[in-house]
């Protein structure tokens, strides 16, 4: 059963009517409803195209958060072979919000790290909705250090509303762990490529996305703060999230123009959740392209490339 977003409610009615007709036909062999159902399908396809033709930043946030979008686990299972998960930060605990380990990508040994939100209520609670605690970032640091030691490219899949803001996380050094993870991204002498597959929220995303190359799915978002959080601070009203989303310039299209993101990965019409396999394959092709472009660089060149990328940020404007 499809989960429809608020702005998709008219579409839900049409697709629901088409399914009702087909259900009636399945119950009665003498009924022939294909002409009527086909007409509704065409109307739904046209409406879907119109809805997604020019999404506002706030609607893109809603699509990026869709619960049925493919998550980190889906990408790892589909794109990587011989995946061996590695657990724990060797200090406090294992953080299930962060997946990571050794794997092969196109038969090349790599380290893959990503945020996992979970698919249902139980798994979302288990993975803390993709909000990592300090031990999650320290696990990522451990994996990146291992990648640097053995010369393995690092691939990160970013999908988090932000780092977990709980009392225990703060007591265990949340901000320090995020800063150390960001620092480690900038230090390692191996190719580091990142893909924003859903939400790229705050420092919790930057800690994995300080990479040589950053790709974003077409309807993903990447921002220093959520629209609701921004609206609460600036206007003392979380309901102004639409205005905040516009001001934050958090879409893949704006961030590519600003030089933050390097590539936009197209999504199927209606978003990644409507055709997960096509989306996953497109992400795989983008990762392969980014890694190929970095393969000839030495460790020093990779570090300098990453440094220069971040020094250049702010030099482009939206009018450029």
């Amino acid at each position: 059963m499809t989960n429809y977003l608020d702005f998709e409610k008219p579409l839900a009615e049409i697709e629901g009517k088409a399914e009702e007709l087909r259900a009636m036909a399945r119950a009665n062999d003498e009924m022939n409803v294909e002409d009527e159902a086909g007409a509704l399908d065409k109307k739904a396809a046209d409406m879907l195209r119109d809805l997604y033709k020019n999404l506002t930043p706030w609607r893109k946030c809603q699509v990026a958060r869709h619960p049925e979008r493919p998550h980190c686990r889906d990408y790892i299972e589909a794109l990587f072979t011989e995946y061996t998960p590695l657990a724990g930060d060797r200090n406090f605990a294992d953080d299930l919000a962060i997946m990571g380990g050794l794997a092969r990508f196109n038969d090349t040994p790599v380290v893959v790290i990503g945020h996992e939100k979970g698919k249902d209520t139980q798994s979302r609670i288990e993975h803390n909705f993709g909000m990592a605690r300090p031990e999650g970032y320290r696990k990522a640091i451990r994996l990146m250090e291992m990648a640097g030691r053995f010369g393995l490219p690092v691939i990160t899949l970013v999908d988090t509303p932000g780092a977990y803001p709980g009392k225990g996380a703060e007591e265990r050094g949340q901000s320090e762990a995020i800063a150390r993870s960001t620092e480690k991204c900038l230090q390692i002498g191996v190719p580091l490529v990142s893909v924003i597959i859903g939400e790229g929220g705050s420092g919790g995303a930057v800690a994995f996305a300080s990479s040589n190359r950053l790709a974003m799915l077409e309807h993903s978002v990447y921002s220093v703060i959520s629209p609701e959080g921004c609206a609460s601070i600036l206007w003392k009203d979380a309901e102004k999230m639409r205005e905040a989303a516009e001001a934050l310039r958090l879409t893949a299209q704006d961030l590519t123009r600003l030089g933050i993101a390097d590539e936009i990965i197209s999504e199927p019409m209606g978003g990644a959740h409507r055709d997960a396999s096509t989306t996953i394959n497109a992400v795989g092709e983008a990762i392969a392209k980014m890694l190929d472009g970095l393969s000839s660089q030495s460790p020093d060149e990779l570090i300098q490339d990453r440094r220069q990328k971040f020094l250049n940020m702010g030099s482009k404007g939206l009018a450029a």
Side-chain angles (χ1 to χ4, degrees):
M1 182 177 176
T2 303
N3 282 311
Y4 291 93
L5 300 170
D6 288 344
F7 69 89
E8 294 177 321
K9 284 180 180 176
L11 177 67
E13 291 180 13
I14 296 172
E15 291 187 339
K17 286 176 182 176
E19 181 53 35
E20 282 178 18
L21 284 174
R22 291 192 170 100
M24 290 167 60
R26 286 194 294 270
N28 186 348
D29 293 338
E30 296 181 3
M31 288 187 68
N32 185 356
V33 300
E34 271 313 305
D35 288 345
E36 294 87 343
L40 288 171
D41 287 342
K42 184 181 182 306
K43 186 176 180 181
D46 291 341
M47 181 176 289
L48 183 68
R49 195 176 302 108
D50 289 340
L51 285 172
Y52 278 80
K53 184 165 55 179
N54 193 22
L55 289 177
T56 65
W58 172 243
R59 287 185 174 181
K60 280 187 178 286
C61 287
Q62 292 177 286
V63 178
R65 295 169 177 173
H66 198 288
E68 293 174 4
R69 279 178 82 84
H71 293 154
C72 179
R73 185 180 298 278
D74 301 313
Y75 288 97
I76 289 176
E77 289 176 353
L79 298 177
F80 298 85
T81 57
E82 298 182 34
Y83 173 63
T84 304
L86 299 176
D89 65 346
R90 299 295 185 267
N91 183 40
F92 182 76
D94 186 30
D95 185 353
L96 297 182
I98 303 299
M99 291 183 68
L102 301 167
R104 287 184 179 272
F105 177 76
N106 290 345
D107 208 33
T108 300
V110 298
V111 167
V112 58
I113 306 168
H115 302 89
E116 174 57 38
K117 285 184 170 180
K119 286 282 190 185
D120 51 32
T121 301
Q122 182 177 344
S123 62
R124 285 173 191 144
I125 293 170
E126 182 181 330
H127 293 287
N128 201 32
F129 301 87
M131 296 185 291
R133 298 177 171 88
E135 45 273 23
Y137 295 107
R138 293 181 178 128
K139 173 166 69 173
I141 292 168
R142 187 168 72 85
L143 294 177
M144 285 189 275
E145 286 176 344
M146 181 186 298
R149 191 179 312 130
F150 295 106
L152 304 176
V154 177
I155 299 164
T156 63
L157 303 170
V158 179
D159 188 16
T160 179
Y164 184 60
K167 181 172 180 285
E170 295 297 335
E171 289 173 344
R172 296 193 300 278
Q174 182 70 292
S175 58
E176 184 268 350
I178 292 170
R180 295 285 185 191
S181 182
T182 306
E183 179 185 43
K184 186 56 64 178
C185 285
L186 297 171
Q187 287 177 342
I188 55 176
V190 296
L192 172 55
V193 300
S194 303
V195 182
I196 311 290
I197 58 174
E199 286 184 277
S202 192
V206 174
F208 285 5
S210 299
S211 52
N212 293 95
R213 300 291 179 268
L214 173 68
M216 295 181 66
L217 279 171
E218 182 181 357
H219 302 311
S220 64
V221 294
Y222 186 28
S223 174
V224 69
I225 192 171
S226 70
E228 297 92 332
C230 176
S232 296
I233 292 170
L234 292 184
W235 293 289
K236 312 299 182 189
D237 182 3
E239 290 303 311
K240 288 193 175 287
M241 66 274 190
R242 293 169 184 80
E243 293 88 337
E246 292 276 355
L248 283 168
R249 302 296 184 183
L250 42 63
T251 68
Q253 293 71 26
D254 279 343
L255 292 171
T256 303
R257 290 168 63 194
L258 287 166
I260 308 299
D262 300 294
E263 180 180 352
I264 298 173
I265 304 170
S266 296
E267 295 188 28
M269 183 57 64
H273 54 282
R274 284 189 171 257
D275 191 345
S277 61
T278 298
T279 303
I280 290 169
N281 289 335
V283 168
E285 290 172 7
I287 291 172
K289 179 182 171 185
M290 291 189 289
L291 287 176
D292 186 58
L294 298 168
S295 60
S296 62
Q297 295 189 27
S298 69
D300 288 342
E301 287 171 335
L302 288 164
I303 293 169
Q304 182 58 32
D305 173 271
R306 213 173 293 133
R307 171 182 168 82
Q308 196 58 47
K309 174 182 170 64
F310 281 83
L311 289 174
N312 289 341
M313 287 182 184
S315 62
K316 283 187 177 181
L318 289 172

